[in-house]
Amino acid sequence: MIIAVDGPAASGKGTLARKLSKHFDLAYLDTGSLYRAVALSVLSAGADPADNDAALQAAQALDLSTIDETAIRTAEVSDAASIVAAMEPVRAAIRDLQREFARSPPDHKKGAVLDGRDIGTVICPDADVKLFVEASLEERARRRFLELTGRQGDRASALTQTDVLADLRARDARDRNRTASPLKPAPDAHLLDTTKLSIEAAFEAARDIIDLAAP
Ligand code: DC
């Protein structure tokens, strides 16, 4: 069973996808972490994320097992990830890796949940269930701000919710307006707006959709 979970940044798709993978005992792949790892590798080499050759080289050398989960979550890497993710050669270089994960999930799992921007449209167009998770820009900024300040343990930092909103708006525009696999719902995706939903309520709604669609 393949479940595709797509949506914009901070829509709640990652938390939801992780919970669904546990509930249905499926493998889980956060595909955003791949673009983040490519971006981190470019930045660590001292290159410009907009440098096509440097980004492609990093994508070709990507190794899932060495991704540094903490280092890829900074604001600088988020920004650079949305730049490298707009490059078609970068996307092509890590496409097979994602499809292979879905085809042969690790740990002998009987399927996988993949979350990202183009899982239902490009990576797994034949997924058993496709969810497109949305939330208002304001609510996403609120969630991401709490997450960032919580993680940094520094509520007095210079970061404001307005900065986070502006950053999300810019990343949204890049993700939705690029020509290479833009963020958009697959025609057969189930739309799930989590603006007014708790994590648990969003999970229950998604679980009900999956139980009905792929009993
Ligand atoms: O979901 P995220 O914020 O970790 O994603 C990081 C960046 O990678 C974001 O700008 C969108 C991009 N991305 C993508 O283009 N395609 C995917 N399947 C996953 C993420």
Side-chain angles (χ1 to χ4, degrees), residues 155-191:
R155 285 173 188 282
S157 85
L159 187 72
T160 68
Q161 197 162 313
T162 312
D163 297 334
V164 175
L165 190 142
D167 183 53
L168 279 179
R169 196 197 298 277
R171 288 178 56 204
D172 274 2
R174 273 204 289 268
D175 291 346
R176 290 182 204 270
N177 300 330
R178 67 188 181 210
T179 46
S181 309
L183 169 67
K184 63 171 184 213
D188 52 347
H190 299 266
L191 302 185

Short mmCIF file of all heavy atoms in Angstrom, two decimals, residues 155-191:
data_model
loop_
_atom_site.label_atom_id
_atom_site.label_comp_id
_atom_site.label_asym_id
_atom_site.label_seq_id
_atom_site.Cartn_x
_atom_site.Cartn_y
_atom_site.Cartn_z
N ARG A 155 12.91 31.88 23.16
CA ARG A 155 11.73 32.67 22.81
C ARG A 155 12.04 34.15 22.66
O ARG A 155 11.27 34.91 22.12
CB ARG A 155 10.63 32.45 23.84
CG ARG A 155 10.00 31.09 23.63
CD ARG A 155 9.03 30.70 24.71
NE ARG A 155 8.66 29.31 24.48
CZ ARG A 155 7.82 28.91 23.57
NH1 ARG A 155 7.23 29.77 22.78
NH2 ARG A 155 7.56 27.63 23.41
N ALA A 156 13.19 34.57 23.17
CA ALA A 156 13.56 35.98 23.08
C ALA A 156 14.35 36.26 21.81
O ALA A 156 14.85 37.36 21.61
CB ALA A 156 14.39 36.37 24.30
N SER A 157 14.48 35.25 20.94
CA SER A 157 15.27 35.47 19.73
C SER A 157 14.61 36.53 18.85
O SER A 157 13.45 36.87 19.04
CB SER A 157 15.40 34.17 18.94
OG SER A 157 14.29 34.01 18.11
N ALA A 158 15.37 37.01 17.90
CA ALA A 158 14.88 38.11 17.06
C ALA A 158 13.78 37.65 16.09
O ALA A 158 13.12 38.48 15.48
CB ALA A 158 16.05 38.70 16.29
N LEU A 159 13.59 36.35 15.98
CA LEU A 159 12.61 35.82 15.03
C LEU A 159 11.18 36.21 15.42
O LEU A 159 10.80 36.09 16.58
CB LEU A 159 12.72 34.29 15.02
CG LEU A 159 11.91 33.54 13.99
CD1 LEU A 159 12.50 33.76 12.60
CD2 LEU A 159 11.88 32.06 14.33
N THR A 160 10.39 36.70 14.46
CA THR A 160 8.98 37.00 14.75
C THR A 160 8.09 36.16 13.85
O THR A 160 8.55 35.63 12.83
CB THR A 160 8.65 38.48 14.47
OG1 THR A 160 8.72 38.69 13.05
CG2 THR A 160 9.60 39.43 15.18
N GLN A 161 6.82 36.06 14.25
CA GLN A 161 5.87 35.28 13.45
C GLN A 161 5.69 35.92 12.07
O GLN A 161 5.44 35.23 11.09
CB GLN A 161 4.53 35.20 14.20
CG GLN A 161 3.63 34.10 13.67
CD GLN A 161 2.53 33.75 14.66
OE1 GLN A 161 2.80 33.58 15.83
NE2 GLN A 161 1.32 33.65 14.17
N THR A 162 5.84 37.24 12.02
CA THR A 162 5.73 37.95 10.74
C THR A 162 6.86 37.54 9.79
O THR A 162 6.65 37.34 8.59
CB THR A 162 5.76 39.48 10.97
OG1 THR A 162 4.87 39.78 12.02
CG2 THR A 162 5.38 40.24 9.73
N ASP A 163 8.08 37.36 10.35
CA ASP A 163 9.21 36.90 9.52
C ASP A 163 8.91 35.51 8.97
O ASP A 163 9.15 35.21 7.80
CB ASP A 163 10.51 36.75 10.35
CG ASP A 163 10.97 38.08 10.92
OD1 ASP A 163 10.65 39.11 10.32
OD2 ASP A 163 11.66 38.05 11.97
N VAL A 164 8.38 34.66 9.85
CA VAL A 164 8.12 33.28 9.45
C VAL A 164 7.06 33.25 8.35
O VAL A 164 7.18 32.51 7.37
CB VAL A 164 7.67 32.42 10.68
CG1 VAL A 164 7.29 31.02 10.25
CG2 VAL A 164 8.78 32.37 11.71
N LEU A 165 6.04 34.09 8.51
CA LEU A 165 4.97 34.15 7.50
C LEU A 165 5.53 34.61 6.15
O LEU A 165 5.22 34.02 5.11
CB LEU A 165 3.85 35.08 7.98
CG LEU A 165 2.58 35.06 7.14
CD1 LEU A 165 1.34 35.15 8.04
CD2 LEU A 165 2.54 36.19 6.13
N ALA A 166 6.38 35.61 6.18
CA ALA A 166 6.96 36.12 4.93
C ALA A 166 7.82 35.04 4.26
O ALA A 166 7.79 34.87 3.04
CB ALA A 166 7.80 37.37 5.21
N ASP A 167 8.56 34.31 5.09
CA ASP A 167 9.41 33.25 4.57
C ASP A 167 8.56 32.12 3.94
O ASP A 167 8.85 31.64 2.85
CB ASP A 167 10.27 32.71 5.73
CG ASP A 167 11.22 31.65 5.25
OD1 ASP A 167 11.97 31.93 4.30
OD2 ASP A 167 11.21 30.54 5.81
N LEU A 168 7.48 31.75 4.64
CA LEU A 168 6.60 30.70 4.11
C LEU A 168 5.96 31.14 2.80
O LEU A 168 5.84 30.36 1.85
CB LEU A 168 5.48 30.36 5.11
CG LEU A 168 5.81 29.41 6.26
CD1 LEU A 168 4.59 29.23 7.14
CD2 LEU A 168 6.28 28.06 5.73
N ARG A 169 5.56 32.42 2.76
CA ARG A 169 4.92 32.95 1.55
C ARG A 169 5.88 32.84 0.35
O ARG A 169 5.49 32.42 -0.74
CB ARG A 169 4.51 34.41 1.77
CG ARG A 169 3.50 34.92 0.75
CD ARG A 169 3.43 36.43 0.73
NE ARG A 169 2.99 37.04 1.97
CZ ARG A 169 1.72 37.18 2.33
NH1 ARG A 169 0.77 36.76 1.53
NH2 ARG A 169 1.40 37.75 3.47
N ALA A 170 7.16 33.18 0.60
CA ALA A 170 8.16 33.13 -0.48
C ALA A 170 8.40 31.68 -0.92
O ALA A 170 8.50 31.39 -2.11
CB ALA A 170 9.46 33.77 -0.01
N ARG A 171 8.49 30.77 0.06
CA ARG A 171 8.72 29.36 -0.28
C ARG A 171 7.52 28.77 -1.01
O ARG A 171 7.66 28.02 -1.96
CB ARG A 171 9.05 28.55 0.97
CG ARG A 171 10.41 28.86 1.53
CD ARG A 171 10.68 28.08 2.78
NE ARG A 171 10.53 26.64 2.57
CZ ARG A 171 10.26 25.78 3.53
NH1 ARG A 171 10.08 26.18 4.77
NH2 ARG A 171 10.15 24.51 3.27
N ASP A 172 6.32 29.15 -0.56
CA ASP A 172 5.09 28.69 -1.24
C ASP A 172 5.12 29.09 -2.70
O ASP A 172 4.81 28.29 -3.58
CB ASP A 172 3.85 29.38 -0.64
CG ASP A 172 3.31 28.67 0.58
OD1 ASP A 172 3.92 27.67 0.99
OD2 ASP A 172 2.29 29.14 1.12
N ALA A 173 5.48 30.36 -2.93
CA ALA A 173 5.47 30.88 -4.31
C ALA A 173 6.47 30.09 -5.14
O ALA A 173 6.16 29.71 -6.28
CB ALA A 173 5.81 32.36 -4.30
N ARG A 174 7.65 29.83 -4.57
CA ARG A 174 8.66 29.07 -5.33
C ARG A 174 8.16 27.64 -5.60
O ARG A 174 8.30 27.11 -6.70
CB ARG A 174 9.99 29.01 -4.57
CG ARG A 174 10.89 30.20 -4.85
CD ARG A 174 12.35 29.86 -4.58
NE ARG A 174 12.62 29.72 -3.18
CZ ARG A 174 13.03 30.71 -2.37
NH1 ARG A 174 13.20 31.91 -2.86
NH2 ARG A 174 13.27 30.50 -1.11
N ASP A 175 7.56 27.01 -4.58
CA ASP A 175 7.12 25.62 -4.74
C ASP A 175 5.95 25.49 -5.73
O ASP A 175 5.85 24.54 -6.48
CB ASP A 175 6.69 25.02 -3.39
CG ASP A 175 7.86 24.82 -2.42
OD1 ASP A 175 9.02 24.88 -2.88
OD2 ASP A 175 7.62 24.61 -1.23
N ARG A 176 5.04 26.49 -5.71
CA ARG A 176 3.84 26.39 -6.55
C ARG A 176 4.07 26.87 -7.98
O ARG A 176 3.42 26.42 -8.91
CB ARG A 176 2.70 27.23 -5.95
CG ARG A 176 2.12 26.67 -4.66
CD ARG A 176 0.97 27.57 -4.20
NE ARG A 176 0.74 27.48 -2.77
CZ ARG A 176 -0.09 26.61 -2.20
NH1 ARG A 176 -0.76 25.77 -2.93
NH2 ARG A 176 -0.25 26.59 -0.89
N ASN A 177 4.98 27.85 -8.13
CA ASN A 177 5.12 28.48 -9.45
C ASN A 177 6.26 27.94 -10.30
O ASN A 177 6.44 28.36 -11.43
CB ASN A 177 5.27 29.99 -9.30
CG ASN A 177 4.06 30.59 -8.61
OD1 ASN A 177 2.95 30.06 -8.75
ND2 ASN A 177 4.25 31.66 -7.87
N ARG A 178 7.06 27.02 -9.76
CA ARG A 178 8.18 26.50 -10.55
C ARG A 178 7.63 25.62 -11.67
O ARG A 178 6.51 25.07 -11.56
CB ARG A 178 9.13 25.71 -9.65
CG ARG A 178 8.51 24.44 -9.12
CD ARG A 178 9.39 23.75 -8.09
NE ARG A 178 8.75 22.53 -7.63
CZ ARG A 178 8.90 22.01 -6.43
NH1 ARG A 178 9.66 22.59 -5.53
NH2 ARG A 178 8.28 20.89 -6.11
N THR A 179 8.42 25.44 -12.73
CA THR A 179 7.94 24.59 -13.82
C THR A 179 8.20 23.11 -13.53
O THR A 179 7.45 22.25 -13.99
CB THR A 179 8.62 24.97 -15.16
OG1 THR A 179 10.01 25.10 -14.93
CG2 THR A 179 8.06 26.25 -15.72
N ALA A 180 9.25 22.81 -12.73
CA ALA A 180 9.58 21.41 -12.44
C ALA A 180 8.72 20.89 -11.28
O ALA A 180 8.90 21.30 -10.14
CB ALA A 180 11.06 21.29 -12.08
N SER A 181 7.79 20.00 -11.60
CA SER A 181 6.93 19.36 -10.58
C SER A 181 6.40 20.35 -9.54
O SER A 181 6.69 20.22 -8.35
CB SER A 181 7.72 18.26 -9.85
OG SER A 181 8.32 17.38 -10.73
N PRO A 182 5.62 21.35 -9.96
CA PRO A 182 5.12 22.32 -8.98
C PRO A 182 4.17 21.68 -7.97
O PRO A 182 3.57 20.63 -8.26
CB PRO A 182 4.36 23.33 -9.86
CG PRO A 182 4.00 22.57 -11.08
CD PRO A 182 5.09 21.57 -11.31
N LEU A 183 4.08 22.32 -6.82
CA LEU A 183 3.15 21.84 -5.79
C LEU A 183 1.72 22.07 -6.27
O LEU A 183 1.30 23.20 -6.49
CB LEU A 183 3.38 22.64 -4.49
CG LEU A 183 2.33 22.44 -3.40
CD1 LEU A 183 2.36 21.01 -2.86
CD2 LEU A 183 2.53 23.44 -2.27
N LYS A 184 0.98 20.97 -6.43
CA LYS A 184 -0.45 21.07 -6.76
C LYS A 184 -1.10 19.72 -6.45
O LYS A 184 -0.43 18.68 -6.53
CB LYS A 184 -0.66 21.47 -8.23
CG LYS A 184 -0.14 20.46 -9.22
CD LYS A 184 -0.59 20.81 -10.62
CE LYS A 184 -0.12 19.70 -11.56
NZ LYS A 184 0.24 20.07 -12.86
N PRO A 185 -2.38 19.73 -6.13
CA PRO A 185 -3.03 18.46 -5.82
C PRO A 185 -3.18 17.61 -7.08
O PRO A 185 -3.47 18.15 -8.15
CB PRO A 185 -4.41 18.86 -5.29
CG PRO A 185 -4.45 20.34 -5.24
CD PRO A 185 -3.28 20.88 -5.98
N ALA A 186 -2.97 16.30 -6.95
CA ALA A 186 -3.28 15.40 -8.06
C ALA A 186 -4.80 15.44 -8.25
O ALA A 186 -5.53 15.70 -7.29
CB ALA A 186 -2.82 13.99 -7.72
N PRO A 187 -5.29 15.21 -9.47
CA PRO A 187 -6.75 15.28 -9.69
C PRO A 187 -7.52 14.32 -8.78
O PRO A 187 -8.66 14.59 -8.41
CB PRO A 187 -6.90 14.87 -11.16
CG PRO A 187 -5.56 15.01 -11.78
CD PRO A 187 -4.54 14.90 -10.69
N ASP A 188 -6.88 13.20 -8.42
CA ASP A 188 -7.58 12.21 -7.59
C ASP A 188 -7.18 12.29 -6.11
O ASP A 188 -7.38 11.34 -5.35
CB ASP A 188 -7.35 10.79 -8.13
CG ASP A 188 -5.87 10.48 -8.34
OD1 ASP A 188 -5.05 11.42 -8.30
OD2 ASP A 188 -5.54 9.30 -8.52
N ALA A 189 -6.62 13.43 -5.70
CA ALA A 189 -6.21 13.58 -4.29
C ALA A 189 -7.41 13.97 -3.43
O ALA A 189 -8.32 14.66 -3.88
CB ALA A 189 -5.12 14.63 -4.17
N HIS A 190 -7.38 13.51 -2.19
CA HIS A 190 -8.38 13.93 -1.20
C HIS A 190 -7.83 15.17 -0.50
O HIS A 190 -6.72 15.12 0.04
CB HIS A 190 -8.61 12.84 -0.15
CG HIS A 190 -9.12 11.56 -0.72
ND1 HIS A 190 -10.46 11.27 -0.78
CD2 HIS A 190 -8.47 10.51 -1.28
CE1 HIS A 190 -10.62 10.08 -1.34
NE2 HIS A 190 -9.43 9.59 -1.66
N LEU A 191 -8.59 16.26 -0.52
CA LEU A 191 -8.12 17.49 0.12
C LEU A 191 -8.44 17.47 1.61
O LEU A 191 -9.56 17.12 2.00
CB LEU A 191 -8.77 18.71 -0.53
CG LEU A 191 -8.55 18.87 -2.04
CD1 LEU A 191 -9.15 20.18 -2.54
CD2 LEU A 191 -7.06 18.82 -2.40
#
